[in-house]
């Protein structure tokens, strides 16, 4: 009864659900009945307009509430779809990716956000800066800076300890403006390209 009520959209709670009994019932479904149930549950799943949300994020200074308004439909998977669409739009506009970011590397940070693995984002050519660069605060949605490490990989075959790379210290720039509630905070970070806004590297760094 609890599962039926959830499927009919009458409740968002499965409290009291007898998982063993439901599993046994599901095992009795024919392939056609299972497909029909899956389609019904998909229809009840919240949906979002990936293209519209991606376009709303192209200008970080707009401080749009579009992600917050997406509510429960904004999952981490949906956020990566938004990030991918943002990437397509920026590349279509002539921008070029020069690298990638790995964020939320700390277990403590991931635990606070409710994600099991680090998040990723893209590094864009026009957002690269060299040591001594001057940036205007007005060009950022609440600028924050963080010490980071840049890696350039040359050989990635075999075991990780056999990879060939060079590394250098760097400063990452962030757009830290956020307006999603905590359940969607991780998805908001992902959708906004892991909050990345640029990198300041030392002189001589190839990227």
């Amino acid at each position: 009864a609890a599962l039926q009520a959830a499927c009919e959209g009458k409740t968002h709670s499965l409290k009291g659900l007898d998982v063993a009994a439901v599993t046994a019932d599901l095992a009795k479904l024919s392939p056609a009945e299972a497909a029909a149930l899956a389609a019904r549950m998909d229809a009840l799943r919240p949906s979002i307009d990936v293209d519209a949300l991606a376009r709303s994020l192209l200008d970080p200074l707009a401080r749009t509430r579009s992600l917050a308004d997406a509510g429960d439909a904004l999952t981490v998977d949906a956020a990566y779809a938004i990030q991918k669409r943002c990437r397509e739009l920026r590349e279509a506009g002539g921008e070029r990716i020069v690298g990638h970011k790995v964020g939320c590397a700390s277990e403590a940070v991931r635990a606070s956000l409710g994600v099991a693995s680090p998040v990723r984002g893209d590094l864009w050519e026009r957002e690269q800066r060299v040591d001594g660069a001057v940036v205007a605060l007005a060009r950022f949605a609440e600028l924050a800076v963080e010490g980071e490490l840049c890696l350039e990989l040359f050989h990635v075959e075999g075991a990780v300890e056999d990879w060939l790379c060079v590394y250098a210290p760097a400063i990452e720039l962030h757009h830290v403006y956020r307006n999603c509630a905590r359940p969607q905070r991780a998805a908001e970070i992902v959708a906004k390209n892991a909050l990345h806004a640029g990198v300041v590297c030392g002189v001589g760094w190839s990227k």
Side-chain angles (χ1 to χ4, degrees):
L3 180 61
Q4 180 180 353
C7 289
E8 292 175 352
K10 297 178 180 178
T11 177
H12 294 291
S13 173
L14 294 180
K15 185 177 181 180
L17 181 67
D18 187 334
V19 176
V22 170
T23 301
D25 287 341
L26 291 176
K28 299 174 184 177
L29 295 178
S30 68
E33 290 173 329
L37 177 60
R40 186 177 180 185
M41 295 183 72
D42 283 341
L44 293 172
R45 185 174 297 144
S47 61
I48 60 174
D49 187 334
V50 170
D51 182 72
L53 288 172
R55 291 179 185 276
S56 76
L57 296 177
L58 290 179
D59 178 10
L61 298 182
R63 295 174 180 251
T64 175
R65 285 194 53 84
S66 59
L67 292 180
D69 293 340
D72 292 342
L74 184 64
T75 63
V76 171
D77 286 343
Y80 273 115
I82 295 168
Q83 186 190 111
K84 178 176 181 291
R85 183 57 181 148
C86 283
R87 179 164 60 250
E88 293 170 347
L89 292 169
R90 293 182 69 166
E91 288 180 324
E95 294 193 61
R96 188 172 75 92
I97 290 176
V98 295
H100 305 283
K101 167 186 174 175
V102 177
C104 300
S106 161
E107 288 188 15
V109 171
R110 293 198 298 273
S112 70
L113 293 172
V115 293
S117 60
V119 302
R120 67 166 302 279
D122 299 312
L123 308 185
W124 295 90
E125 184 176 46
R126 73 178 179 88
E127 295 174 345
Q128 305 304 296
R129 296 170 174 84
V130 298
D131 187 28
V134 177
V135 299
L137 289 177
R139 296 179 61 183
F140 298 86
E142 299 182 13
L143 174 66
V145 298
E146 185 176 9
E148 291 291 356
L149 193 66
C150 283
L151 297 176
E152 186 170 5
L153 303 175
F154 294 95
H155 177 84
V156 293
E157 296 181 4
V160 173
E161 56 266 26
D162 295 327
W163 290 8
L164 178 63
C165 69
V166 295
Y167 58 89
I171 297 173
E172 183 182 16
L173 309 178
H174 294 274
H175 295 296
V176 296
Y177 175 74
R178 292 171 290 178
N179 53 28
C180 282
R182 183 162 295 278
Q184 283 76 45
R185 185 61 56 81
E188 180 181 20
I189 291 172
V190 169
K192 292 181 175 179
N193 197 33
L195 305 182
H196 183 73
V199 173
V200 181
C201 293
V203 175
W205 180 249
S206 63
K207 293 294 184 291

